[in-house]
Amino acid sequence: MTPSIDYEAPTPPYQQIAAEIIRDIESGTLAVDRPIPSESSLIQRWGVARDTARRAVRHLRELGFVYTVPQRGTYVRDRSEDERQGDA
């Protein structure tokens, strides 16, 4: 099933894309230290502009779900350490 953007929703398109990637991370479909789809893949998969794809990745980085290695890509961040510190 191809995902689609709901342009009538109150949530901006980049947040909809980020939410889908977060679901994939939380379900284990995207594993820690494995790459998330490239901007080009997000553009193709979702049919959005490059800026929207970039904003989605930036949003994921700001939320702490991913980290970017320059010239390499963006990878799923291990959040288990954060969760353990939150329990203390």
Side-chain angles (χ1 to χ4, degrees), residues 3 15 31 42 59-60 67 73 88:
Q15 287 182 356
L42 294 176
H59 187 63
L60 289 166
Y67 63 95

Side-chain angles (χ1 to χ4, degrees), residues 7-61:
Y7 289 99
E8 301 296 318
T11 306
Y14 77 94
Q15 287 182 356
Q16 293 177 47
I17 295 169
E20 183 70 27
I21 294 171
I22 290 168
R23 279 192 286 278
D24 287 346
I25 291 169
E26 290 177 340
S27 73
T29 302
L30 291 172
V32 170
D33 292 328
R34 301 300 300 170
I36 66 167
S38 67
E39 285 180 8
S40 296
S41 295
L42 294 176
I43 291 165
Q44 240 182 355
R45 180 177 181 194
W46 291 87
V48 295
R50 183 166 301 279
D51 184 59
T52 301
R54 283 189 178 146
R55 289 181 76 184
V57 173
R58 184 172 47 239
H59 187 63
L60 289 166
R61 203 171 28 250

